[in-house]
């Protein structure tokens, strides 16, 4: 045998050979098959590789030089006449990071055929292991077979095949295949929770595909689904093309509905998910999600389409058939170290399209700016940011999907410019910040005014605003712990507005006119300058006491501020400060306004404090309260804000985790005159090994009327045995049940099945109450562990 040398050492026989004998360990490449891709698994967008950015992983270094082959065993026999090298007893061979162990290995030096029998174990460079009763490969390592093949894959999934045959060119066939991620398969005790059996599986490594023939999904050994042919992805691919877990729903609005996602990897940086929705009562609906990662950023575009008539909550069609569609797109790209740009594109042909076709994750934040619930925002922005400055330029268009929305009354914003600069070093012992803002708002029409005897559409108001602001703040802490934080703010605004039409009483002294007493007043176009100056200080005195078991902090806080009041001017529209109310987050801020159109001025003192307890085991409790005392009322601020009167509402906030796994919180605002609750947000969250969920209650005034809105939100899951439990979800709005869910859940280490009953009481346009039954299925290694 050319290039082969025998040597003895420590009672063991060892052999080294040239790379042509490496085929014995290369079996790990030919047989490293996994059925985890029977259903595809799409990774998050952030995990998709940028093109040509990630180099291929290198094989592990086994210390062998020049592609050397290493073989050792209890005994080695070289028969030059028959051209065989036979290793027996504790055989171990290594080649390019791969290891093969067996009871017996036979290498034919003439033909290059390698055979191994008896407890064969192949360990690949990635750490995965394969097992077989018998293996055989030819000298080119492109053809071979294995009997009694099995493997434990990453993610603890297991696969077994009665026979495996490699035909060359990276094509391998597996006969009588069983796959499962469940532990029962590993120890042989009982049936696994779920498994997949197939008569044959064909793996094409070049195309990175798997093809399953006569595949059967089994639950506890009972067949539940037969698929004659199922294409899927090779598990060697980082992202797996193929079918994702379907969504099955039975409801009154669409009847029986089956959504079958198919995930396709386009290349290392792109993928697409196509999800046809087949419905029993209405036409099919197609959803598509395209994702792209470039060198500079990410893009995600979702879209849906159907051609059908409109229909009610009972699936009854009416009106003409037409195209119905939506798009939800976003992208963010980094141009260089300081510049980036992004976009969102959100539009729908029907206000109720997302409700009727159960499109999920619609009203979420995607871009630089966010819209209210049930409104879609399209925007284009450019941002420059470094350590001391920030500049953004954006254009914004919003589509309203609420039944009360008037699209022409929703303004178009372009451009919206915001800039900030902070001095890199202290100025007069404090931090200096300069801010600039400019915006142009176009509104086609105003809202219909219900105070008029004959309601009519009022013309919209176009406005432009430019703002420049300088703010300074410092902090001084004295030896006794007293802390003083002085501040100063100077701002100038310049508004330019078109002519404005507003309702006005034609009877002097009438504060609440009836429709017959209301007329319209025309205000001419104008350029309006406005100035704002504020100064003051926040004074606090934190007191700390530490014991063996806990630390207590008590901190009284007083804020003193002096500023000019905002003069009411009906020509200045309020576009950015409509949702302005006193909160714990802005209680001790000099100007709590969320925007520029309104500001909080006058002379005021805010008094309050906060108390905190921290136990040594990490449990905490804290409480904060306060109230603002102004020299005079501010009629420019909305009444529901809690700041219009000279005496503001009372604000309180508490949060505690004194019981392990249980957190309680409350945010309360009490009316200053009546003592009634103007705003309340409270609830508890709990998490134990068998019970988890939350209960949340909200009462808040809604702009612009200030009418109270109440909402109760409950979600929970409780397991009364190790595997069986129930889930529930309910929303109560305004004292009426809006949605209630109840589900029966089974879960273990490799499966989660939930049958969910849902009743929705929402009345929204043509959609009334609906009832549906959903089946949710999660399988370990298929879309994530349950």
């Amino acid at each position: 045998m050319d290039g082969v040398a025998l040597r003895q050492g420590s009672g063991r026989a060892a052999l080294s050979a040239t790379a042509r004998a490496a085929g014995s360990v290369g079996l790990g490449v030919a047989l490293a098959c996994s059925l985890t891709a029977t259903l595809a698994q799409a990774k998050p967008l952030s995990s998709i590789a940028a093109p040509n950015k990630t180099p291929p992983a290198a094989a592990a270094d086994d210390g062998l030089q020049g592609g050397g082959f290493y073989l050792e065993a209890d005994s080695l026999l070289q028969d030059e006449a028959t051209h065989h090298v036979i290793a027996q007893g504790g055989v171990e061979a290594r080649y390019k990071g791969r290891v093969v162990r067996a009871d017996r290995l036979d290498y034919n030096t003439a033909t290059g055929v390698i055979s191994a029998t008896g407890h064969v174990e192949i360990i690949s460079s990635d750490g995965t292991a394969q097992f077989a009763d018998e293996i055989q490969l030819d000298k080119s390592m492109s053809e071979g077979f294995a009997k009694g093949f099995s493997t434990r894959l990453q993610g603890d999934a297991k696969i077994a095949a009665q026979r495996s045959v490699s035909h060359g060119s990276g094509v391998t066939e597996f006969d009588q295949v069983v796959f499962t991620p469940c532990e029962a398969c590993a120890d042989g005790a009982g049936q696994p929770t779920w498994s997949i059996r197939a008569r044959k599986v064909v793996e094409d490594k070049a195309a990175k595909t798997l093809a399953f023939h006569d595949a059967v999904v089994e639950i506890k050994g009972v067949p539940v689904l037969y698929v004659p042919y199922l294409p899927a992805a090779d598990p060697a691919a980082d992202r797996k093309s193929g079918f994702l877990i379907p969504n099955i729903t039975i409801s009154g609005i669409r009847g029986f509905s089956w959504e079958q996602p198919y995930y396709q990897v386009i290349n290392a940086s792109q993928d697409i998910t196509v999800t046809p929705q087949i419905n029993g009562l209405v036409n099919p609906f197609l959803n598509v999600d395209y994702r792209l990662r470039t060198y500079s950023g990410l893009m995600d575009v979702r879209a849906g389409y159907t051609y059908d008539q409109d229909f009610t909550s009972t699936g009854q069609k009416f009106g003409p058939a037409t195209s119905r569609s939506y798009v939800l797109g976003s992208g963010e790209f980094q141009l260089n170290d300081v510049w980036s740009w992004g976009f969102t594109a959100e539009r729908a042909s029907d206000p109720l399209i997302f409700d009727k076709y159960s499109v999920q994750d619609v009203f979420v934040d995607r871009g630089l700016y966010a819209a209210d619930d049930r409104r879609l925002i399209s925007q284009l922005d450019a941002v420059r940011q470094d350590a001391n400055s920030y500049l953004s330029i954006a254009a914004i268009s919003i589509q309203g999907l609420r039944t009360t929305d008037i699209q022409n009354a929703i303004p178009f914003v372009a451009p919206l410019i915001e800039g900030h600069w902070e001095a890199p070093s202290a100025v007069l012992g404090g931090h200096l910040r300069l801010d600039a803002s400019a915006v142009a708002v176009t509104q086609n029409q105003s809202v219909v005014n219900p105070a008029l005897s004959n309601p009519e559409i009022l013309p919209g108001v176009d406005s432009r605003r430019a703002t420049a602001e300088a703010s300074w703040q410092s902090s001084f802490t004295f030896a006794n712990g007293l802390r003083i934080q002085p501040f100063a703010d100077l701002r100038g605004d310049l508004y330019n507005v078109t002519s404005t039409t507003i309702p006005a009483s034609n009877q002097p002294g009438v504060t609440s006119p009836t429709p017959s007493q209301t007329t319209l007043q025309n205000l001419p176009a104008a350029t309006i300058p406005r100035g704002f100056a504020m100064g003051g200080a926040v004074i606090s005195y934190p007191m700390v006491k530490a014991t063996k078991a806990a630390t207590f902090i008590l901190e009284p806080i007083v804020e003193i501020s002096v500023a000019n009041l905002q003069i009411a001017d009906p020509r200045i529209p309020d576009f950015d400060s409509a949702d302005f109310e006193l909160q714990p987050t802005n209680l001790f801020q000099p100007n709590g306004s969320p925007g520029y159109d309104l500001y909080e001025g006058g002379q005021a003192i805010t008094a309050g404090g906060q108390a905190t307890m921290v136990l040594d085991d990490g449990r905490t409790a804290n409480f904060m309260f306060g109230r603002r005392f102004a020299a005079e009322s501010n009629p420019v601020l909305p009444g529901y804000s809690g700041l219009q009167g000279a005496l503001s509402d009372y604000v309180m906030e508490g949060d505690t985790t004194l019981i392990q796994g249980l957190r309680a919180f409350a945010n309360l605002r009490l009316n200053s005159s009546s003592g009634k609750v103007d705003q309340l947000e409270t609830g508890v969250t709990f998490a134990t090994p068998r019970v988890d969920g939350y209960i949340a209650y909200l009462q808040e005034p809604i702009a612009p009327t200030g009418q109270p809105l109440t909402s109760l939100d409950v979600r929970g899951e409780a397991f009364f045995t190790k595997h069986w439990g129930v889930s529930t979800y309910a929303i109560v709005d305004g004292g009426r049940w809006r949605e209630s869910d109840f589900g029966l859940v089974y879960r273990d280490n490799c499966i989660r099945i939930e049958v969910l009953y849902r009743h929705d009481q929402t009345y929204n346009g043509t959609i009334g109450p609906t009832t549906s039954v959903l089946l949710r299925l999660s399988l370990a290694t298929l879309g994530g562990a349950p």
Side-chain angles (χ1 to χ4, degrees):
M1 183 170 62
D2 296 339
V4 176
L6 274 174
R7 64 180 187 274
Q8 294 288 131
S10 303
R12 298 273 289 169
L15 175 147
S16 62
T18 56
R20 74 186 182 103
S24 59
V25 189
L27 179 65
V29 178
L31 300 184
C33 173
S34 155
L35 300 191
T36 54
T38 303
L39 297 178
Q41 179 174 346
K43 288 190 175 183
L45 181 61
S46 58
S47 67
I48 298 177
N52 302 324
K53 281 289 187 179
T54 305
D61 184 8
D62 55 11
L64 300 176
Q65 302 296 322
F69 172 82
Y70 179 82
L71 173 66
E72 68 176 12
D74 291 337
S75 66
L76 282 174
L77 176 63
Q78 181 177 3
D79 190 336
E80 295 184 358
T82 60
H83 306 286
H84 279 269
V85 175
I86 300 174
Q88 298 190 80
V91 179
E92 179 173 316
R94 298 198 304 269
Y95 177 70
K96 289 188 176 180
R98 301 185 182 94
V99 177
V100 62
R101 299 187 179 100
D103 294 339
R104 186 179 187 276
L105 186 144
D106 186 339
Y107 171 61
N108 189 318
T109 59
T111 64
V113 175
I114 302 166
S115 301
T117 59
H119 303 96
V120 181
E121 178 181 354
I122 307 122
I123 302 174
S124 301
S125 58
D126 61 2
T128 58
Q130 297 87 39
F131 308 89
D133 296 331
E134 177 183 346
I135 63 171
Q136 181 173 311
L137 278 179
D138 68 351
K139 62 181 180 180
S140 66
M141 297 181 293
S142 61
E143 297 185 9
F145 72 89
K147 292 182 179 180
F149 174 83
S150 64
T151 182
R152 180 184 292 268
L153 306 164
Q154 294 178 354
D156 206 33
K158 279 76 63 177
I159 181 175
Q162 190 177 90
R163 185 169 179 264
S164 172
V165 180
S166 178
H167 295 291
S169 302
V171 177
T172 304
E173 288 188 12
F174 300 89
D175 295 331
Q176 303 303 323
V177 178
V178 178
F179 163 77
T180 182
C182 305
E183 284 303 321
C185 185
D187 55 23
Q191 293 288 348
T193 303
W194 72 272
S195 61
I196 297 177
R197 294 181 180 269
R199 177 179 57 83
K200 182 174 69 173
V201 177
V202 179
E203 178 189 30
D204 188 335
K205 284 192 171 294
K208 294 185 177 181
T209 60
L210 295 173
F212 296 85
H213 299 263
D214 295 327
V216 178
V217 178
E218 297 183 350
I219 304 294
K220 289 293 186 181
V222 178
V224 296
L225 178 64
Y226 169 76
V227 182
Y229 178 77
L230 177 65
D234 191 314
D238 291 335
R239 289 140 58 222
K240 305 174 178 65
S241 298
F243 290 101
L244 299 172
I245 296 175
N247 299 317
I248 302 173
T249 306
I250 301 175
S251 65
I253 190 170
R254 297 193 311 273
F256 179 83
S257 179
W258 178 291
E259 292 184 66
Q260 181 56 70
Y262 183 82
Y263 175 70
Q264 178 63 49
V265 176
I266 300 175
N267 55 39
S269 304
Q270 301 178 76
D271 59 30
I272 188 170
T273 302
V274 180
T275 309
Q277 181 188 90
I278 309 302
N279 303 301
L281 297 180
V282 299
N283 288 357
F285 191 86
L286 180 65
N287 291 282
V288 178
D289 186 355
Y290 170 77
R291 308 189 303 174
L292 167 69
R293 180 171 183 177
T294 68
Y295 295 124
S296 60
L298 308 171
M299 182 175 70
D300 187 350
V301 179
R302 297 168 55 193
Y305 177 82
T306 188
Y307 187 86
D308 201 356
Q309 297 174 271
D310 202 352
F311 54 89
T312 67
S313 56
T314 59
Q316 295 181 349
K317 298 185 179 182
F318 64 92
T322 185
S323 294
R324 305 178 188 276
S325 60
Y326 74 87
V327 62
L328 301 171
S330 64
E332 184 176 353
F333 305 92
Q334 193 73 34
L335 299 178
N336 53 39
D337 292 341
V338 295
W339 277 101
S340 65
W341 74 277
F343 75 91
T344 64
E346 301 181 352
R347 279 297 184 269
S349 62
D350 297 45
L352 301 177
I353 191 171
F354 303 112
D355 306 89
K356 292 179 176 179
Y357 295 98
S358 299
V359 181
Q360 302 298 313
D361 300 324
V362 176
F363 306 105
V364 298
D365 297 345
R366 292 184 176 86
L368 187 63
Y369 296 95
D372 297 332
D373 188 41
R374 297 202 63 83
R375 285 173 178 166
L376 303 178
I377 179 170
S378 299
Q379 58 188 305
L380 181 65
D381 64 78
V383 176
R384 185 193 186 281
Q385 185 172 8
D386 58 27
N388 300 105
S389 64
Y390 173 88
L391 173 67
S392 67
I393 306 172
I396 300 172
S397 175
I398 297 175
Q399 180 186 11
L401 303 184
R402 302 176 183 176
T403 56
T404 56
D405 282 335
I406 302 173
Q407 187 58 43
N408 282 341
I410 299 177
F412 174 73
V413 181
L416 172 58
I417 304 172
E418 293 185 296
H420 316 293
W421 177 83
E422 293 187 3
S425 57
V427 176
L428 300 177
H431 299 283
L432 175 65
R433 171 168 166 159
L434 302 181
D435 294 88
S437 173
V439 64
V441 178
T442 303
Q443 185 184 41
N444 292 330
Q445 73 175 61
S446 185
V447 296
V448 176
N449 195 304
L452 301 177
S453 56
N454 296 311
E456 60 182 275
I457 297 176
L458 304 180
V461 179
D462 297 343
S463 70
R464 288 157 290 279
R465 175 186 54 78
T467 297
E469 183 176 11
S471 58
W472 174 90
Q473 185 175 17
S474 187
S475 181
F476 303 95
T477 302
F478 298 91
N480 61 357
L482 180 67
R483 182 169 56 195
I484 300 178
Q485 297 173 288
F487 59 84
D489 194 355
L490 183 64
R491 192 178 98 193
D493 302 324
L494 184 65
Y495 282 85
N496 179 265
V497 297
T498 59
S499 59
T500 307
T501 303
I502 63 173
S505 171
N506 57 6
Q507 297 185 16
V510 177
T511 57
S512 300
T514 64
S516 62
Q517 296 172 321
T518 304
T519 60
L520 295 178
Q521 178 182 0
N522 294 317
L523 300 177
T527 298
I528 309 164
R530 188 177 69 176
F532 173 69
M534 172 179 281
V538 178
I539 305 170
S540 61
Y541 187 59
M543 295 172 284
V544 181
K545 179 178 177 59
T547 66
K548 293 182 178 180
T551 300
F552 301 90
I553 304 173
L554 182 64
E555 184 180 11
I557 305 174
V558 174
E559 179 200 75
I560 303 172
S561 62
V562 178
N564 59 300
L565 277 174
Q566 180 174 344
I567 299 175
D569 192 329
R571 297 171 298 178
I572 297 178
D574 181 11
F575 285 123
D576 63 10
S577 306
D579 190 13
F580 183 14
E581 53 192 18
L582 186 63
Q583 295 278 352
T585 55
N586 62 13
L587 176 64
F588 293 103
Q589 289 184 2
N591 176 22
S593 174
Y596 291 94
D597 293 335
L598 292 181
Y599 64 78
E600 184 186 354
Q603 305 171 47
I605 296 177
T606 304
Q610 57 186 357
T612 303
M613 178 180 68
V614 180
L615 301 181
D616 289 348
D617 60 4
R619 293 177 294 162
T620 63
N622 61 77
F623 175 74
M624 189 271 283
F625 72 97
R627 190 186 192 191
R628 189 160 298 178
F629 304 86
E632 55 185 316
S633 62
N634 190 346
V636 174
L637 302 180
Y640 62 84
S641 67
L643 287 166
Q644 190 181 65
L647 301 178
S648 77
D649 287 353
Y650 297 91
V651 173
M652 288 171 277
E653 182 181 47
D655 189 298
T656 178
T657 56
L658 292 182
I659 300 176
Q660 195 70 32
L662 178 66
R663 172 180 174 260
F665 61 91
N667 179 347
L668 176 67
R669 179 155 60 86
L670 297 178
N671 190 279
S672 59
S673 57
S674 65
K676 294 182 179 180
V677 175
D678 279 349
Q679 183 174 10
L680 172 63
E681 182 179 4
T682 184
V684 295
T685 62
F686 44 91
T688 67
R690 290 198 175 184
V691 180
D692 65 87
Y694 65 83
I695 302 173
Y697 174 80
L698 175 65
Q699 176 185 327
E700 64 177 350
I702 302 300
T705 63
Q707 292 296 317
L709 169 70
T710 61
S711 175
L712 177 65
D713 193 349
V714 179
R715 184 186 296 273
E717 190 172 80
F719 282 84
F720 42 84
T721 70
K722 181 179 179 181
H723 300 298
W724 289 95
V726 294
S727 66
T728 184
Y729 175 62
I731 300 178
V732 181
D733 282 341
R736 296 181 178 179
W737 288 91
R738 181 162 67 87
E739 183 179 324
S740 57
D741 296 354
F742 180 82
L744 181 64
V745 183
Y746 175 87
R747 70 176 183 183
D748 60 22
N749 65 309
C750 58
I751 193 172
R752 178 187 172 98
I753 303 175
E754 183 174 7
V755 179
L756 186 68
Y757 172 85
R758 171 173 296 169
H759 184 65
D760 194 333
Q761 282 287 114
T762 303
Y763 287 86
N764 192 358
T766 60
I767 297 181
T770 59
T771 300
S772 57
V773 178
L774 297 84
L775 174 64
R776 292 175 177 171
L777 175 65
S778 299
L779 304 177
T781 74
L782 303 180

